[in-house]
Amino acid sequence: MLEMESVTSITVEPPPAILLAEDDPATRMLMTRFLKKAGYEVDAVSDGTEALDKMTKRYYPILVTDWEMPGMDGVALCKAVRNLQLDGYVYALLLTARDSKENIIAGLEAGADDYLVKPVHEPELVARLNAGRRILALEHSLRAANHRNRILSITDALTGAYNRRYLMEQLPREVERCRRYAYPLSVIMCDIDLFKRINDELGHAAGDDVLQQFVGRVQRSIRSNSDWIARYGGEEFLLVLPETEYKSGLFVAEKVRAIVGAEPFATRMGEVAVTTSFGVASTGPNGPDLALKVDGLIKAADQCLYQSKLAGRNRSSGVQIPNSMALIANA
Ligand code: GH3
Ligand code: MG
């Protein structure tokens, strides 16, 4: 069960790192002392250009910048920071001796979130940074929620495998990548044998247990950093194996077949023996040609799966799709 993150978690999170840009050495030292005393990790620089350079190399959630500095000033720095693609939001606090309304408006419009009029009053600085941390915590929880939603939207809720939406989004990319780098690609259509009988004899919930455990067994037997499995339909799954040629694809299918068949599955209604049939479709060793589309690859795997079923189930069949375009080009 996923838990919502609480905004109040800022009390337990360590204080975020601060980048301080201040050209006056005495103020820089004083500010660094204030910030460190409040528990922050501080990197201090003396101008806007240096600050911007540091910002591109590391993510600082909080920027405290003086307005007037030689070269790039604080306002230009805020503007530039807003145009960077960073890992998260930067809360920008502008220090200024200019406290006229026009100046404050100009600073906020340039991208500063808040301002502090010099000379800096230490408790006010700490209070304003705490307000900034509340904004950062909100942004953090929003990002985390977006990430969770993305995961949910591409995952099959029952088995934890990727869902069909992800498959149809990601497989064309895999095909394209293998084409560009001339790597082979194999896909394996897997279908649990006589699954309807398991449902009929043990009930739908026990059938669900089998589906879950099937995916678990498959995931434990493939390369976790490159291979992946998606639920294609009810009890049909597609295994995607980048950089895998035909022979290895068949080998993986046989390995998974052995792992599924080796031990019965423990369902809530007792143990049940499960077998699976496989259809492997692979590109040539130098990757897919221009004519090969995802639909063709899946269809080829499906036809091989059908052959496995016809031949008596609990087996693997496969095909290496000929490079038709290469043949034409060579002719
Ligand atoms: P074959 O060996 O030819 O593949 O036979 P089969 O019984 O596995 O194939 P069939 O297509 O006849 O039956 C598939 C069954 O899978 C029917 C359907 O009710 C069941 N099924 C589909 N999705 C789910 C699910 O999420 N949970 C459960 N428990 N069963 C499902
Ligand atoms: Mg089946």
Side-chain angles (χ1 to χ4, degrees):
M1 186 69 184
L2 297 166
E3 274 180 34
M4 288 304 290
E5 276 166 52
S6 160
V7 173
T8 55
S9 62
I10 60 161
T11 51
V12 287
E13 275 177 16
I18 293 184
L19 183 64
L20 169 68
E22 167 63 67
D23 62 319
D24 175 58
T27 314
R28 193 165 64 238
M29 244 169 67
L30 185 72
M31 286 292 294
T32 304
R33 209 170 70 218
F34 285 169
L35 296 171
K36 284 195 171 162
K37 205 168 120 201
Y40 291 94
E41 176 200 337
V42 186
D43 275 347
V45 294
S46 56
D47 65 68
T49 315
E50 209 183 328
L52 190 61
D53 184 54
K54 274 206 179 293
M55 280 273 174
T56 57
K57 296 197 174 115
R58 177 191 163 177
Y59 169 53
Y60 291 92
I62 298 181
L63 169 69
V64 177
T65 178
D66 188 20
W67 183 311
E68 278 172 55
M69 292 184 289
M72 181 183 278
D73 68 12
V75 169
L77 175 61
C78 286
K79 261 192 198 154
V81 165
R82 293 297 173 234
N83 287 324
L84 294 177
Q85 288 282 331
L86 298 169
D87 289 348
Y89 189 69
V90 174
Y91 189 84
L93 179 60
L94 196 58
L95 304 179
T96 176
R98 315 177 183 191
D99 59 351
S100 75
K101 285 260 182 282
E102 295 75 29
N103 281 325
I104 287 163
I105 290 168
L108 295 175
E109 280 188 344
D113 294 291
D114 198 4
Y115 66 94
L116 207 50
V117 179
K118 288 180 171 181
V120 171
H121 175 63
E122 189 179 354
E124 187 181 359
L125 171 70
V126 172
R128 289 195 185 269
L129 289 176
N130 279 340
R133 284 169 68 183
R134 285 197 291 273
I135 304 282
L136 289 170
L138 266 178
E139 195 252 356
H140 181 83
S141 60
L142 196 65
R143 264 175 197 271
N146 278 343
H147 180 69
R148 281 196 300 269
N149 284 340
R150 165 75 184 151
I151 300 287
L152 288 176
S153 76
I154 60 173
T155 307
D156 170 52
L158 175 66
T159 63
Y162 287 114
N163 60 19
R164 195 167 172 140
R165 175 205 283 194
Y166 181 82
L167 175 72
M168 296 328 253
E169 190 180 291
Q170 198 58 24
L171 189 53
R173 292 193 191 137
E174 295 279 15
V175 171
E176 222 19 75
R177 208 172 58 87
C178 287
R179 194 181 341 259
R180 180 159 355 121
Y181 297 109
Y183 292 138
L185 172 73
S186 293
V187 298
I188 308 176
M189 191 67 86
C190 325
D191 187 294
I192 299 176
D193 295 326
L194 305 175
F195 186 68
K196 194 170 172 305
R197 206 154 77 188
I198 298 176
N199 270 339
D200 290 347
E201 288 173 7
L202 299 178
H204 205 270
D208 284 356
D209 292 343
V210 170
L211 291 175
Q212 267 174 352
Q213 288 170 36
F214 172 79
V215 170
R217 287 193 195 193
V218 174
Q219 276 168 339
R220 281 192 293 277
S221 56
I222 58 178
R223 293 178 300 187
S224 59
N225 55 348
S226 58
D227 304 343
W228 48 277
I229 180 169
R231 190 173 182 184
Y232 188 70
E235 26 78 84
E236 259 191 316
F237 297 86
L238 194 78
L239 250 170
V240 179
L241 315 171
E243 295 179 43
T244 306
E245 59 182 316
Y246 177 60
K247 259 177 138 173
S248 311
L250 261 187
F251 178 82
V252 172
E254 281 297 288
K255 186 169 87 173
V256 173
R257 190 173 74 80
I259 286 164
V260 170
E263 283 182 32
F265 284 53
T267 76
R268 66 194 77 190
M269 298 304 287
E271 290 195 339
V272 60
V274 176
T275 64
T276 319
S277 299
F278 299 88
V280 182
S282 307
T283 68
N286 297 322
D289 69 5
L290 282 171
L292 186 67
K293 298 277 177 283
V294 164
D295 289 355
L297 193 63
I298 294 179
K299 198 167 162 206
D302 212 29
Q303 280 167 352
C304 292
L305 169 66
Y306 185 64
Q307 291 303 318
S308 296
K309 294 280 182 187
L310 269 188
R313 299 182 171 85
N314 191 20
R315 66 195 66 217
S316 307
S317 315
V319 65
Q320 181 177 311
I321 299 168
N323 258 1
S324 54
M325 292 300 277
L327 286 178
I328 293 165
N330 290 337

